[in-house]
Amino acid sequence: MLEIEDSEISLMRPPVVTIRTAKPRDISELHEMIGLLAIHHGDISASTPEQLERDLFGPTPWISAIVADGSDGLIGYAILVPLYRAQEGKRGMDLHHLFVRDGHRGHGTGQLLVDRARETARLAGCDYLSVSAATGNLKAHRFYEQMDFTPRPVTGMRYMQSLS
């Protein structure tokens, strides 16, 4: 039988990732990842770090964010936005953004972010969590369905009007 010295054996360890609520010190990396997600979808990010800080930590926070913190910095994030279904009297949260950096996808970080988003919504008294994905983004569709999201039909057009 061939003996192998311990020094010749190396096992890959999974990276340690902490899922936590975003803090003001995360603004720069979080803003960078928002830009990367925009590029991924062929969009241009027009947001600024100052706007993000205002909306996360200002006098009237508008959104909440969860981050995946790796040993070398942030590797992913989720942004949650409150929703309300007046006809049902139900509170909800929209998982507005979910992003994991290249090189860190496929290791469960997205699932951990979704799990924390669910927990955050439940603790806020929400009845549901919603998420959307572009029509042709089949990989995202499969991911959300594996995470027990139920596809819902689009029931009409969404309209918008600038207030500035």
Side-chain angles (χ1 to χ4, degrees):
M1 181 164 179
L2 179 66
E3 284 192 38
I4 300 173
E5 290 184 34
D6 287 341
S7 62
E8 294 180 32
I9 299 173
S10 63
L11 301 173
M12 293 298 296
R13 300 179 111 197
V16 174
V17 176
T18 301
I19 306 298
R20 62 173 173 78
T21 301
K23 298 180 183 333
R25 70 175 187 252
D26 300 322
I27 292 294
S28 178
E29 284 183 275
L30 189 52
H31 184 259
E32 175 197 357
M33 288 188 291
I34 289 169
L36 291 172
L37 182 58
I39 290 168
H40 175 77
H41 287 294
D43 297 329
I44 297 170
S45 177
S47 72
T48 66
E50 293 78 21
Q51 290 168 323
L52 184 59
E53 185 170 27
R54 173 200 66 201
D55 293 336
L56 278 169
F57 306 110
T60 308
W62 200 256
I63 60 174
S64 60
I66 301 161
V67 296
D69 194 349
S71 57
D72 293 330
L74 300 185
I75 62 170
Y77 74 96
I79 290 180
L80 295 166
V81 180
L83 296 172
Y84 188 66
R85 303 185 112 196
Q87 70 277 17
E88 299 170 8
K90 291 187 176 183
R91 291 178 175 186
M93 286 276 183
D94 180 51
L95 181 52
H96 178 64
H97 272 195
L98 178 66
F99 176 79
V100 176
R101 289 183 187 272
D102 284 342
H104 296 279
R105 296 183 186 133
H107 301 288
T109 303
Q111 292 174 349
L112 293 172
L113 287 164
V114 170
D115 288 343
R116 181 60 65 89
R118 282 186 186 129
E119 180 183 338
T120 300
R122 280 189 194 109
L123 290 173
C126 293
D127 299 295
Y128 65 94
L129 180 66
S130 72
V131 66
S132 62
T135 305
N137 192 347
L138 301 179
K139 189 173 180 181
H141 297 183
R142 283 191 303 275
F143 173 79
Y144 292 126
E145 288 173 16
Q146 289 172 351
M147 295 294 297
D148 293 327
F149 285 89
T150 304
R152 295 190 59 174
V154 176
T155 58
M157 293 296 295
R158 186 169 207 58
Y159 295 89
M160 192 164 55
Q161 181 180 71
S162 176
L163 299 175
S164 56

